[in-house]
Amino acid sequence: MIWLGILGGLYAAWCVLVYAMQDRLLFPRWVPGHPAMESPPAGVERVWVTGEDGSRVEGWFLPAPGTAPGRPGPAVIFAHGNAELIDDNLGLAEQYHALGFSVLLPEYRGYGRSQGTPSQTTITADFEMFHAWVVARPEVDLAGLVYHG
């Protein structure tokens, strides 16, 4: 009976610990990885959206070769994985770019050079702003919009 009480107490302590650390577990900004670049590489346009709380969130846009306001082309909104940065996914974005797609790499709030604190609500709001930004681009064909993530 004593052992069951000890195991029950340890389990309860574990549950409290996981609950208290849930944001750090869901949004592991602390995971070491590649350091963020100072600025995007040549040919990549830096995009900023601003959340309701004033947090600025970065994105990178690679316009497809040959597209223009009178000649729109397909585009991809590329949402990278958790504990990654847009800097880590430029190679994958360039694969779409080589196929003739414009690519938007939105960052998550609180990651990389972006301000704020990530949450499901803030990430959703940021992606809605990035979506509105890319669909307003005259060189993007809305019929060819792809979501990757």
Side-chain angles (χ1 to χ4, degrees):
M1 203 51 135
I2 293 174
W3 286 109
L4 284 177
I6 291 171
L7 287 175
L10 289 173
Y11 179 72
W14 174 253
C15 290
V16 168
L17 178 67
V18 169
Y19 180 80
M21 294 188 61
Q22 66 184 324
D23 282 345
R24 284 182 50 92
L25 295 171
L26 289 173
F27 306 108
R29 296 178 289 167
W30 50 271
V31 173
H34 303 291
M37 296 178 199
E38 289 295 318
S39 60
V44 177
E45 179 182 341
R46 182 179 268 168
V47 178
W48 293 96
V49 298
T50 303
E52 289 182 8
D53 65 351
S55 296
R56 293 184 68 216
V57 182
E58 181 182 28
W60 288 357
F61 184 68
L62 292 80
T67 59
R71 289 192 329 255
V76 175
I77 300 176
F78 188 101
H80 63 73
N82 202 359
E84 295 179 347
L85 301 175
I86 55 178
D87 310 54
D88 301 329
N89 289 278
L90 192 56
L92 292 171
E94 287 172 341
Q95 292 178 21
Y96 277 116
H97 194 251
L99 295 172
F101 286 82
S102 293
V103 182
L104 175 64
L105 289 162
E107 189 59 271
Y108 298 121
R109 192 177 295 207
Y111 284 77
R113 292 159 297 276
S114 298
Q115 302 170 336
T117 303
S119 70
Q120 181 178 350
T121 302
T122 60
I123 289 172
T124 300
D126 295 341
F127 271 73
E128 288 174 352
M129 287 186 286
F130 278 117
H131 179 269
W133 183 88
V134 80
V135 299
R137 299 287 296 220
E139 69 268 33
V140 171
D141 178 7
L142 298 182
L145 190 57
V146 175
Y147 303 93
H148 178 135

